[in-house]
Amino acid sequence: MSKRKVTRGATGAVVTVLALGALQGASAAGDDGESTESPASPAAPSKVCVGTQPEGRLPSWGPKGSYPDDTPLYRVLAYIDKTTKGNGNGNAYRDSFTGWSVDDASRAANVYRIPGKDADQLDADLCGAAEKGVTIRLYDTDVTEGELKKLHGRISGDMGRWKGTFMIWTVGRTSHSVNVGVSDPEKAEPILREAYGEEAMRHVTIERSEQPTILLPGK
């Protein structure tokens, strides 16, 4: 049985983790889903802007005052999330947007997108809306959020495929990559590369992972 959980990782990236359980129907829990930025992360942002709009200009995640992170940074993050998802008409930036993460310590939002006309419009929109004191770092990538979701789904569906050779214990999607936790990276890397191809594997990080903790009933 598998258990899906969403958490904010060590660097603030929103990560979806799928952990594989293997004990008579017990649910599985991996670690807390924390993930550092992938080694494939862009080394430096292509653009940086600092918000100038008055504090409180943007709406919070929920009703005003009800959300614990109702701060300028998290209001900007809410705006980024809403903007990149579109307004009920699909993601307006689906051909360029990759993902976002948060750096709480620096009061910064990291936005990943494919350079081009759409990205220029997105950059201008986000930078123009950001509240005073919030930094937005804009990174260049070459993969869309949709493509990462598909890759995440493919690998998640194969978690037990190579049992006996190695095990895939966790599959997580960060702001710009897919992280795969396996029992033996040296065995897994060439097999996964052959299975998914060089192009897809440019966006995958393989890490050593232990078997997730098994949560037994009543424990």
Side-chain angles (χ1 to χ4, degrees):
M1 180 182 295
S2 63
K3 180 179 178 182
R4 189 181 301 273
K5 45 185 191 171
V6 178
T7 184
R8 186 172 297 121
T11 59
V14 174
V15 183
T16 303
V17 173
L18 188 67
L20 182 67
L23 183 61
Q24 298 180 348
S27 62
D31 56 20
D32 290 333
E34 292 190 351
S35 173
T36 58
E37 295 291 345
S38 162
S41 175
S46 59
K47 300 178 185 177
V48 177
C49 61
V50 179
T52 59
Q53 296 296 331
E55 185 172 327
R57 176 180 181 273
L58 297 173
S60 65
W61 288 103
K64 190 172 181 63
S66 67
Y67 194 77
D69 286 323
D70 188 12
T71 63
L73 174 58
Y74 279 82
R75 287 193 292 270
V76 169
L77 292 173
Y79 184 80
I80 292 171
D81 195 58
K82 179 180 178 181
T83 299
T84 55
K85 284 182 178 177
N87 297 312
N89 299 315
N91 184 350
Y93 297 102
R94 62 183 176 274
D95 294 330
S96 59
F97 179 69
T98 304
W100 61 263
S101 64
V102 56
D103 181 349
D104 283 294
S106 300
R107 297 184 69 197
N110 303 317
V111 178
Y112 301 83
R113 76 285 182 273
I114 300 173
K117 182 178 179 180
D118 283 352
D120 290 343
Q121 293 175 349
L122 177 61
D123 297 353
D125 186 350
L126 300 184
C127 289
E131 292 187 13
K132 187 175 181 179
V134 176
T135 298
I136 297 181
R137 306 178 188 132
L138 300 152
Y139 292 86
D140 294 346
T141 66
D142 61 357
V143 63
T144 67
E145 181 182 41
E147 290 168 337
L148 287 180
K149 286 181 178 179
K150 289 180 181 178
L151 180 58
H152 178 275
R154 285 182 63 194
I155 299 176
S156 297
D158 286 339
M159 291 185 76
R161 178 177 173 182
W162 293 284
K163 184 177 180 180
T165 302
F166 67 91
M167 288 297 299
I168 298 177
W169 293 125
T170 61
V171 183
R173 183 169 60 84
T174 74
S175 51
H176 58 275
S177 65
V178 175
N179 287 358
V180 181
V182 301
S183 57
D184 190 330
E186 290 186 2
K187 288 183 179 179
E189 194 275 335
I191 293 173
L192 295 178
R193 192 168 296 279
E194 181 177 358
Y196 303 115
E198 294 291 337
E199 178 66 21
M201 290 301 291
R202 291 194 306 106
H203 308 295
V204 174
T205 300
I206 300 173
E207 302 173 334
R208 186 176 301 278
S209 178
E210 300 298 327
Q211 182 175 357
T213 303
I214 302 300
L215 301 180
L216 297 176
K219 299 294 183 179

